[in-house]
Amino acid sequence: MTAEAVAVAPHDRAQPRALPWWMIATVPLLMAALAFAWTLHGELQRMYGMTSQAWDLAYDQEVIYNVSIGQGFYSSFARANFLGIHFELIFVFLAAVEKLWPHPAVLLIFSSAGLAATAPAGYLFFRALLPANRPESPWLAVGLAAPIPFWAAIQEGARDSFHPENMALALAILAAWAGIRGHRALMWVLCVLVLMCKEDQVYTVGVIGLLMAAYGAPAVKKHWRFIVYLAGAWFLIAIIGIQTYIRAGGYSDFVYYKWLFLGPSLGAVAEAITRPEALLAVAVVIAGMGALPLLAPRWLLLVIPPYLANVLSEHIPQDVLQLHYILLLLFPLVVAGGVGARRLLELQALRPLVALAFIVPAVMLGWGTGRFPPALGAEKGVYSRPNTVAELRAATAMIPADAPVSADGGLTVWLANRRVINDFPDMLTPACYVVLDHHAYVTGPTNRKVRQQMADQLAASGRRLLYDDGTFQVWSPVGE
């Protein structure tokens, strides 16, 4: 061996061997698979145990079923065209699946998949945004992305069973990745899919446009304004135009902001903005990314509009950023975290193990502050009831498929494939069959005392008890 070779060899041995990209990317994929199984298992436990909520799981199931059989977006829960309340055209794709399998589990599968997909989508986004010439970039991308499905905020989406926002976040992150990498057609398709998830996603797509102005591939960057124009056009045409026309003066979620137009005091506004629950929810997300969003303060400011839109609402639990309502804040928070990570690497180098260490505190925060089992704040009894679907099907076998039904909230999703379904006793009519659970899980808009009073009056209302097995009761329409 020559002296030159001897001199070079130690230097070569000191260089760590770079792992192939596919080995690094396996970590978020494995975390996504784990998150999907975990989330879906919990959501199915709740649905089969009759503790899922009529609003909005059964509500959405009925609309999607109606679309699948060609009856449009009618909702008997609202007695109105659903598109006038929420402009969620993504239901058309879900209805196509339910055309083949008209089962409420379809919604939970898509919900769980959407939440779990935030890990691989986040990895692609962070990897694209972080400096390509830094060897620690892939590791930091894994450290930030892998725990996302386990965040307490993501658990709130899982607790709420199904909402299209559960899919919108991963789609938005993928759209941002596609724009940074220069996949223009894919980016535009993903942006449209995000908009189809819900009307408030116009804000998310607007943020994508701003992100492309700063970090988009050259072919995308020079046309970033058109992404913002798309969001603006969707807002004007779909929300101000089509939704207003469909609604024709009917119900809108804007009713929860009436107090803002009635001369609210500065104290009331300040109290709403500084609710501890809402501030803590945002702080936990920031902490889960190692406080990196704080290194990108201008991008972090983009969280303020959706934060105010939620906390200034009088709708509970929107005002404290619980359930799916917090999801709208997550995309700008992820963007701020990515830009903050980029700036961190501009300031200092990181060892791979240090970058991966971001996973541990994020997962621990999710367990300590989350509310989906086995997190500490979980309402575990909701997810541990026995499967009583077979008993419910036996009890309701005599109800005609086209008959209107009023049922306890946890039962409605199993009876939602019909033209008229409501959560008892809301909108109860004499023509309805009534299906009650002796151990009903009562939550959401249903008042427990009112429900019991109405149940006690069924026998005197002209209805006849058709079935009672000690678990479920079925009452006939009035006069039958």
Side-chain angles (χ1 to χ4, degrees), residues 392-470:
L392 178 64
R393 285 176 173 160
T396 57
M398 85 286 286
I399 300 178
D402 59 348
V405 171
S406 179
D408 279 323
L411 316 182
T412 53
V413 68
W414 295 104
L415 304 168
N417 290 3
R418 63 186 65 244
R419 184 67 173 175
V420 178
I421 177 72
N422 283 103
D423 51 327
F424 180 83
D426 186 48
M427 296 189 181
L428 181 64
T429 66
C432 285
Y433 284 82
V434 176
V435 185
L436 301 182
D437 187 342
H438 280 288
H439 309 286
Y441 175 72
V442 180
T443 185
T446 302
N447 183 291
R448 184 178 296 274
K449 289 183 178 179
V450 172
R451 177 213 172 263
Q452 190 59 53
Q453 289 171 358
M454 295 295 290
D456 293 340
Q457 296 171 12
L458 290 175
S461 67
R463 299 180 186 273
R464 184 166 54 91
L465 183 62
L466 301 176
Y467 186 95
D468 191 342
D469 63 353

Coordinates of all heavy atoms in Angstrom, one line a residue, residues 392-470:
L392 N -79.0 -4.7 16.5 CA -79.7 -3.6 15.9 C -80.4 -4.0 14.6 O -81.5 -3.6 14.3 CB -78.8 -2.4 15.7 CG -79.4 -1.2 15.0 CD1 -80.5 -0.5 15.9 CD2 -78.3 -0.1 14.7
R393 N -79.7 -4.7 13.8 CA -80.3 -5.2 12.6 C -81.5 -6.1 12.8 O -82.5 -6.0 12.1 CB -79.2 -5.9 11.7 CG -78.2 -4.9 11.1 CD -77.1 -5.6 10.4 NE -76.2 -4.7 9.7 CZ -75.0 -4.9 9.3 NH1 -74.5 -6.1 9.5 NH2 -74.3 -4.0 8.7
A394 N -81.4 -7.0 13.8 CA -82.6 -7.8 14.1 C -83.7 -7.0 14.6 O -84.9 -7.2 14.2 CB -82.2 -8.8 15.2
A395 N -83.4 -5.9 15.4 CA -84.5 -5.1 15.9 C -85.2 -4.3 14.8 O -86.4 -4.0 14.9 CB -83.9 -4.1 17.0
T396 N -84.4 -3.8 13.8 CA -85.0 -2.9 12.8 C -85.3 -3.7 11.5 O -85.6 -3.0 10.5 CB -84.0 -1.8 12.5 OG1 -82.7 -2.4 12.1 CG2 -83.7 -1.0 13.7
A397 N -85.3 -5.0 11.5 CA -85.6 -5.7 10.3 C -87.0 -5.5 9.7 O -87.2 -5.5 8.5 CB -85.4 -7.2 10.5
M398 N -87.9 -5.1 10.6 CA -89.3 -4.9 10.1 C -89.5 -3.5 9.5 O -90.6 -3.2 9.0 CB -90.3 -5.2 11.2 CG -90.6 -4.0 12.2 SD -89.2 -3.6 13.3 CE -89.5 -5.0 14.4
I399 N -88.6 -2.6 9.7 CA -88.8 -1.2 9.2 C -88.5 -1.2 7.7 O -87.5 -1.6 7.2 CB -87.8 -0.3 9.9 CG1 -88.0 -0.3 11.4 CG2 -87.9 1.1 9.3 CD1 -87.1 0.6 12.1
P400 N -89.5 -0.7 6.9 CA -89.3 -0.7 5.4 C -88.1 0.2 5.1 O -87.8 1.2 5.8 CB -90.6 0.0 4.9 CG -91.6 -0.3 6.0 CD -90.8 -0.3 7.3
A401 N -87.4 -0.2 4.0 CA -86.1 0.5 3.6 C -86.4 2.0 3.3 O -85.5 2.8 3.4 CB -85.5 -0.2 2.4
D402 N -87.6 2.3 2.8 CA -87.9 3.7 2.5 C -88.6 4.5 3.5 O -89.1 5.6 3.3 CB -88.7 3.8 1.2 CG -90.0 3.0 1.3 OD1 -90.2 2.3 2.3 OD2 -90.8 3.2 0.3
A403 N -88.8 3.9 4.7 CA -89.5 4.5 5.8 C -88.7 5.6 6.5 O -87.5 5.3 6.7 CB -90.0 3.5 6.8
P404 N -89.3 6.7 7.0 CA -88.5 7.7 7.8 C -88.3 7.1 9.2 O -89.1 6.4 9.7 CB -89.5 8.9 7.8 CG -90.8 8.3 7.6 CD -90.7 7.1 6.7
V405 N -87.1 7.4 9.7 CA -86.7 6.9 11.0 C -86.1 8.0 11.8 O -85.4 8.9 11.4 CB -85.6 5.8 10.8 CG1 -85.0 5.4 12.2 CG2 -86.2 4.5 10.1
S406 N -86.5 7.9 13.1 CA -85.8 8.8 14.1 C -85.2 7.9 15.1 O -85.8 7.0 15.7 CB -86.9 9.7 14.8 OG -86.3 10.5 15.8
A407 N -83.9 8.0 15.4 CA -83.1 7.1 16.2 C -82.2 7.8 17.1 O -81.8 9.0 16.8 CB -82.4 6.1 15.3
D408 N -81.8 7.2 18.2 CA -80.7 7.7 19.0 C -79.5 7.9 18.2 O -79.2 7.1 17.2 CB -80.4 6.8 20.2 CG -81.4 7.0 21.3 OD1 -81.8 8.1 21.6 OD2 -81.8 6.0 22.0
G409 N -78.7 9.0 18.5 CA -77.6 9.4 17.7 C -76.6 8.3 17.3 O -76.2 8.2 16.1
G410 N -76.2 7.4 18.2 CA -75.3 6.4 17.9 C -75.8 5.3 17.0 O -75.0 4.6 16.4
L411 N -77.1 5.3 16.8 CA -77.7 4.3 15.9 C -77.9 4.8 14.5 O -78.0 4.0 13.5 CB -79.0 3.8 16.4 CG -79.2 3.5 17.9 CD1 -80.6 3.1 18.3 CD2 -78.2 2.5 18.4
T412 N -77.9 6.1 14.3 CA -78.3 6.7 13.1 C -77.4 6.3 11.9 O -77.9 6.2 10.8 CB -78.4 8.2 13.2 OG1 -77.1 8.7 13.7 CG2 -79.5 8.7 14.1
V413 N -76.1 6.2 12.1 CA -75.2 5.9 11.0 C -75.5 4.5 10.4 O -75.4 4.3 9.2 CB -73.7 5.9 11.5 CG1 -73.4 4.8 12.4 CG2 -72.8 5.9 10.3
W414 N -76.1 3.6 11.2 CA -76.4 2.3 10.7 C -77.8 2.3 10.0 O -78.1 1.3 9.3 CB -76.5 1.3 11.8 CG -75.1 1.0 12.4 CD1 -74.6 1.5 13.6 CD2 -74.0 0.3 11.8 NE1 -73.4 1.1 13.8 CE2 -73.0 0.4 12.7 CE3 -73.9 -0.4 10.6 CZ2 -71.7 -0.2 12.4 CZ3 -72.7 -1.0 10.4 CH2 -71.6 -0.9 11.3
L415 N -78.5 3.4 10.1 CA -79.9 3.5 9.5 C -79.9 4.7 8.5 O -81.0 5.0 8.1 CB -80.9 3.7 10.6 CG -80.9 2.7 11.7 CD1 -81.8 3.1 12.9 CD2 -81.5 1.3 11.2
A416 N -78.8 5.2 8.1 CA -78.7 6.4 7.4 C -78.9 6.2 5.9 O -79.1 7.2 5.2 CB -77.3 7.1 7.6
N417 N -78.9 5.0 5.4 CA -79.1 4.8 3.9 C -80.6 4.8 3.6 O -81.2 3.8 3.2 CB -78.5 3.4 3.5 CG -76.9 3.5 3.6 OD1 -76.4 4.5 4.0 ND2 -76.3 2.4 3.2
R418 N -81.1 6.0 3.8 CA -82.6 6.2 3.5 C -82.8 7.7 3.3 O -81.9 8.5 3.6 CB -83.4 5.7 4.6 CG -83.2 6.4 5.9 CD -84.0 5.7 7.1 NE -83.5 4.4 7.3 CZ -84.3 3.3 7.1 NH1 -85.5 3.4 6.7 NH2 -83.8 2.1 7.4
R419 N -84.0 8.0 2.8 CA -84.3 9.4 2.4 C -84.4 10.3 3.7 O -84.1 11.4 3.7 CB -85.5 9.5 1.6 CG -85.9 10.8 1.1 CD -84.9 11.4 0.1 NE -85.4 12.6 -0.5 CZ -84.6 13.4 -1.4 NH1 -83.4 13.0 -1.7 NH2 -85.1 14.5 -1.9
V420 N -85.0 9.7 4.7 CA -85.3 10.5 5.9 C -84.8 9.8 7.2 O -85.2 8.7 7.5 CB -86.8 10.8 6.1 CG1 -87.0 11.6 7.4 CG2 -87.3 11.6 4.9
I421 N -83.8 10.4 7.8 CA -83.2 9.9 9.1 C -82.9 11.1 9.9 O -82.4 12.1 9.5 CB -81.9 9.0 8.8 CG1 -81.3 8.5 10.1 CG2 -80.9 9.8 8.0 CD1 -82.1 7.5 10.8
N422 N -83.2 11.0 11.2 CA -82.9 12.1 12.1 C -82.5 11.5 13.5 O -82.9 10.4 13.8 CB -84.1 13.0 12.3 CG -84.2 14.0 11.2 OD1 -85.1 13.8 10.3 ND2 -83.3 15.0 11.1
D423 N -81.7 12.3 14.2 CA -81.4 11.9 15.6 C -82.5 12.2 16.5 O -82.9 13.4 16.6 CB -80.1 12.5 16.0 CG -80.1 14.1 15.8 OD1 -80.7 14.5 14.8 OD2 -79.4 14.8 16.6
F424 N -83.0 11.3 17.2 CA -84.1 11.4 18.2 C -83.8 12.4 19.3 O -82.7 12.3 19.8 CB -84.5 10.1 18.7 CG -85.7 10.1 19.7 CD1 -87.0 10.1 19.3 CD2 -85.4 10.2 21.1 CE1 -88.0 10.1 20.2 CE2 -86.5 10.2 22.0 CZ -87.8 10.2 21.5
P425 N -84.7 13.4 19.6 CA -86.0 13.6 19.1 C -86.1 14.7 18.0 O -87.1 15.3 17.8 CB -86.8 14.0 20.3 CG -85.8 14.7 21.1 CD -84.5 14.1 20.9
D426 N -84.9 15.1 17.4 CA -84.9 16.3 16.5 C -85.8 16.0 15.3 O -85.7 14.9 14.7 CB -83.5 16.5 16.1 CG -83.3 17.8 15.2 OD1 -83.9 18.8 15.6 OD2 -82.7 17.7 14.2
M427 N -86.6 16.9 15.0 CA -87.5 16.9 13.8 C -88.4 15.6 13.8 O -88.7 15.0 12.7 CB -86.7 16.9 12.5 CG -86.0 18.3 12.3 SD -85.3 18.4 10.7 CE -84.5 20.0 10.8
L428 N -88.8 15.1 14.9 CA -89.6 14.0 15.1 C -91.0 14.2 14.4 O -91.7 15.2 14.8 CB -89.8 13.5 16.5 CG -90.6 12.3 16.8 CD1 -90.0 11.1 16.2 CD2 -90.8 12.1 18.3
T429 N -91.5 13.4 13.6 CA -92.8 13.5 12.9 C -93.6 12.3 13.2 O -93.1 11.2 13.5 CB -92.7 13.7 11.4 OG1 -92.1 12.5 10.8 CG2 -91.7 14.9 11.1
P430 N -94.9 12.3 13.1 CA -95.8 11.2 13.3 C -95.5 10.0 12.4 O -95.7 8.8 12.8 CB -97.2 11.7 13.1 CG -97.1 13.2 13.4 CD -95.7 13.6 12.9
A431 N -95.0 10.3 11.2 CA -94.7 9.2 10.3 C -93.5 8.4 10.5 O -93.2 7.3 9.9 CB -94.7 9.8 8.8
C432 N -92.6 8.8 11.5 CA -91.3 8.2 11.7 C -91.5 6.9 12.6 O -92.2 6.9 13.6 CB -90.4 9.2 12.5 SG -89.7 10.4 11.4
Y433 N -90.7 5.9 12.2 CA -90.4 4.8 13.2 C -89.4 5.4 14.1 O -88.5 6.2 13.8 CB -89.8 3.6 12.4 CG -90.8 2.8 11.7 CD1 -91.2 3.1 10.4 CD2 -91.3 1.6 12.3 CE1 -92.1 2.4 9.7 CE2 -92.2 0.8 11.6 CZ -92.6 1.2 10.3 OH -93.5 0.4 9.6
V434 N -89.4 5.0 15.4 CA -88.5 5.4 16.4 C -87.7 4.3 16.9 O -88.3 3.2 17.3 CB -89.3 6.1 17.6 CG1 -88.3 6.5 18.7 CG2 -90.0 7.3 17.1
V435 N -86.4 4.4 16.9 CA -85.5 3.3 17.4 C -84.6 3.9 18.5 O -83.9 4.9 18.3 CB -84.6 2.8 16.2 CG1 -83.7 1.7 16.7 CG2 -85.4 2.5 15.0
L436 N -84.7 3.3 19.7 CA -84.0 3.8 20.9 C -83.1 2.8 21.4 O -83.3 1.5 21.3 CB -85.0 4.2 21.9 CG -86.1 5.3 21.6 CD1 -86.9 5.6 22.8 CD2 -85.4 6.6 21.1
D437 N -82.0 3.2 22.1 CA -81.0 2.4 22.7 C -81.2 2.5 24.2 O -81.2 3.6 24.8 CB -79.6 2.9 22.3 CG -78.5 2.0 22.8 OD1 -78.8 1.2 23.7 OD2 -77.4 2.1 22.3
H438 N -81.4 1.4 24.9 CA -81.6 1.5 26.3 C -80.4 2.0 27.1 O -80.5 2.5 28.2 CB -81.9 0.1 26.9 CG -83.3 -0.4 26.7 ND1 -84.4 0.2 27.4 CD2 -83.9 -1.3 25.9 CE1 -85.5 -0.4 27.1 NE2 -85.2 -1.3 26.1
H439 N -79.2 2.0 26.4 CA -78.0 2.5 27.0 C -77.4 3.5 26.0 O -76.2 3.5 25.7 CB -77.0 1.3 27.2 CG -77.6 0.2 28.0 ND1 -77.8 0.2 29.3 CD2 -78.0 -1.1 27.5 CE1 -78.3 -0.9 29.7 NE2 -78.4 -1.7 28.7
A440 N -78.3 4.4 25.6 CA -77.9 5.4 24.6 C -76.7 6.3 25.0 O -76.6 6.8 26.2 CB -79.1 6.3 24.2
Y441 N -75.8 6.5 24.1 CA -74.7 7.5 24.3 C -75.3 8.8 23.7 O -75.4 8.9 22.5 CB -73.5 7.0 23.5 CG -72.4 8.0 23.5 CD1 -71.6 8.3 24.7 CD2 -72.0 8.8 22.4 CE1 -70.6 9.2 24.8 CE2 -71.0 9.7 22.4 CZ -70.3 9.9 23.6 OH -69.3 10.8 23.6
V442 N -75.5 9.7 24.6 CA -76.2 11.0 24.2 C -75.1 12.1 24.3 O -74.5 12.3 25.3 CB -77.3 11.3 25.2 CG1 -78.0 12.6 24.8 CG2 -78.4 10.2 25.2
T443 N -74.9 12.7 23.1 CA -73.9 13.8 23.1 C -74.3 14.7 21.9 O -75.4 14.6 21.3 CB -72.5 13.2 22.8 OG1 -71.6 14.3 22.9 CG2 -72.5 12.5 21.4
G444 N -73.5 15.7 21.7 CA -73.7 16.6 20.6 C -74.9 17.5 20.8 O -75.1 18.0 22.0
P445 N -75.7 17.8 19.8 CA -76.8 18.7 20.0 C -78.0 18.2 20.8 O -78.9 18.9 21.1 CB -77.3 19.0 18.6 CG -76.9 17.8 17.8 CD -75.6 17.3 18.5
T446 N -78.0 16.9 21.1 CA -79.1 16.3 21.8 C -79.1 16.6 23.3 O -78.0 16.3 23.9 CB -79.2 14.7 21.6 OG1 -79.2 14.5 20.2 CG2 -80.4 14.1 22.3
N447 N -80.2 17.1 23.8 CA -80.3 17.3 25.3 C -80.8 16.1 25.9 O -81.8 15.5 25.6 CB -81.2 18.5 25.5 CG -81.3 18.9 27.0 OD1 -81.9 18.1 27.8 ND2 -80.8 20.0 27.3
R448 N -80.0 15.6 26.9 CA -80.3 14.3 27.6 C -81.7 14.3 28.2 O -82.5 13.4 28.1 CB -79.3 14.0 28.6 CG -79.4 12.6 29.3 CD -78.3 12.4 30.3 NE -77.0 12.3 29.6 CZ -76.6 11.1 29.1 NH1 -77.3 10.0 29.1 NH2 -75.4 11.1 28.5
K449 N -82.0 15.4 28.9 CA -83.3 15.5 29.6 C -84.5 15.6 28.6 O -85.5 14.9 28.8 CB -83.4 16.7 30.5 CG -82.5 16.6 31.7 CD -82.6 17.9 32.6 CE -81.7 17.7 33.9 NZ -81.8 18.9 34.7
V450 N -84.3 16.3 27.5 CA -85.4 16.4 26.5 C -85.6 15.1 25.9 O -86.7 14.6 25.6 CB -85.0 17.5 25.5 CG1 -86.0 17.5 24.3 CG2 -85.0 18.9 26.1
R451 N -84.5 14.4 25.6 CA -84.6 13.1 25.0 C -85.4 12.1 25.8 O -86.2 11.4 25.4 CB -83.2 12.5 24.7 CG -83.2 11.1 24.1 CD -82.1 10.2 24.6 NE -82.2 8.8 24.2 CZ -82.7 7.9 25.0 NH1 -83.1 8.2 26.2 NH2 -82.9 6.7 24.5
Q452 N -85.1 12.1 27.1 CA -85.8 11.2 28.0 C -87.3 11.6 28.2 O -88.1 10.7 28.2 CB -85.1 11.2 29.4 CG -85.6 10.1 30.3 CD -85.4 8.7 29.8 OE1 -84.3 8.4 29.4 NE2 -86.5 7.9 29.7
Q453 N -87.6 12.8 28.2 CA -89.0 13.3 28.3 C -89.7 12.8 27.0 O -90.9 12.3 27.1 CB -89.0 14.8 28.4 CG -88.6 15.3 29.7 CD -88.5 16.8 29.8 OE1 -88.7 17.5 28.7 NE2 -88.1 17.4 30.9
M454 N -89.1 13.0 25.9 CA -89.8 12.5 24.6 C -89.9 11.0 24.6 O -91.0 10.5 24.1 CB -89.0 13.1 23.4 CG -89.0 14.6 23.3 SD -90.6 15.3 22.9 CE -90.9 14.7 21.3
A455 N -88.9 10.3 25.1 CA -89.0 8.8 25.1 C -90.1 8.4 26.0 O -90.9 7.4 25.7 CB -87.7 8.2 25.5
D456 N -90.3 9.0 27.1 CA -91.4 8.7 28.1 C -92.8 8.9 27.5 O -93.7 8.3 28.0 CB -91.2 9.4 29.4 CG -89.9 9.0 30.1 OD1 -89.4 7.9 29.8 OD2 -89.4 9.8 31.0
Q457 N -92.9 9.8 26.5 CA -94.2 10.2 26.0 C -94.6 9.3 24.8 O -95.7 9.5 24.2 CB -94.2 11.7 25.6 CG -94.0 12.6 26.8 CD -93.8 14.0 26.3 OE1 -94.0 14.4 25.1 NE2 -93.4 14.9 27.2
L458 N -93.7 8.4 24.3 CA -94.0 7.7 23.1 C -95.2 6.8 23.2 O -96.1 6.7 22.3 CB -92.8 6.8 22.7 CG -91.5 7.6 22.2 CD1 -90.4 6.6 22.0 CD2 -91.8 8.3 20.9
A459 N -95.4 6.2 24.4 CA -96.5 5.3 24.6 C -97.9 6.0 24.5 O -98.9 5.5 24.0 CB -96.4 4.5 25.9
A460 N -97.9 7.2 25.0 CA -99.1 8.0 25.0 C -99.3 8.8 23.7 O -100.3 9.5 23.6 CB -99.1 9.0 26.2
S461 N -98.4 8.7 22.8 CA -98.5 9.5 21.6 C -99.2 8.8 20.4 O -99.3 9.4 19.3 CB -97.1 9.9 21.1 OG -96.4 8.8 20.7
G462 N -99.7 7.6 20.7 CA -100.4 6.9 19.6 C -99.5 5.9 18.9 O -99.9 5.3 17.9
R463 N -98.2 5.8 19.4 CA -97.3 4.8 18.8 C -97.4 3.5 19.5 O -97.9 3.4 20.6 CB -95.9 5.3 18.9 CG -95.6 6.6 18.2 CD -94.2 7.1 18.3 NE -94.0 8.4 17.7 CZ -93.7 8.6 16.5 NH1 -93.5 7.6 15.6 NH2 -93.5 9.8 16.0
R464 N -97.0 2.4 18.8 CA -97.1 1.1 19.4 C -95.6 0.5 19.5 O -94.9 0.6 18.5 CB -97.9 0.2 18.5 CG -98.2 -1.2 19.0 CD -99.3 -1.9 18.2 NE -99.1 -1.8 16.8 CZ -98.5 -2.7 16.0 NH1 -98.0 -3.8 16.7 NH2 -98.4 -2.6 14.7
L465 N -95.3 -0.1 20.6 CA -94.0 -0.8 20.8 C -94.0 -2.0 19.9 O -94.7 -3.0 20.2 CB -93.8 -1.1 22.2 CG -92.4 -1.7 22.6 CD1 -91.3 -0.7 22.2 CD2 -92.3 -2.1 24.1
L466 N -93.1 -2.1 19.0 CA -93.0 -3.2 18.0 C -91.9 -4.2 18.5 O -92.0 -5.4 18.1 CB -92.6 -2.7 16.6 CG -93.6 -1.7 16.0 CD1 -93.1 -1.3 14.6 CD2 -95.0 -2.4 15.8
Y467 N -90.9 -3.7 19.2 CA -89.8 -4.6 19.5 C -89.1 -4.1 20.8 O -88.9 -2.8 20.9 CB -88.8 -4.6 18.3 CG -87.7 -5.6 18.4 CD1 -87.8 -6.9 17.9 CD2 -86.5 -5.2 19.1 CE1 -86.7 -7.8 18.0 CE2 -85.4 -6.1 19.2 CZ -85.5 -7.4 18.6 OH -84.5 -8.3 18.7
D468 N -88.7 -4.9 21.6 CA -87.8 -4.6 22.8 C -87.1 -5.8 23.3 O -87.7 -6.7 23.8 CB -88.7 -4.0 23.9 CG -87.9 -3.3 25.0 OD1 -86.7 -3.6 25.1 OD2 -88.4 -2.5 25.8
D469 N -85.8 -5.8 23.1 CA -85.0 -7.0 23.5 C -84.1 -6.7 24.7 O -83.2 -7.4 25.1 CB -84.2 -7.5 22.4 CG -83.1 -6.5 21.9 OD1 -83.2 -5.4 22.4 OD2 -82.3 -6.9 21.1
G470 N -84.4 -5.5 25.4 CA -83.6 -5.1 26.5 C -82.4 -4.3 26.1 O -81.8 -3.6 26.9

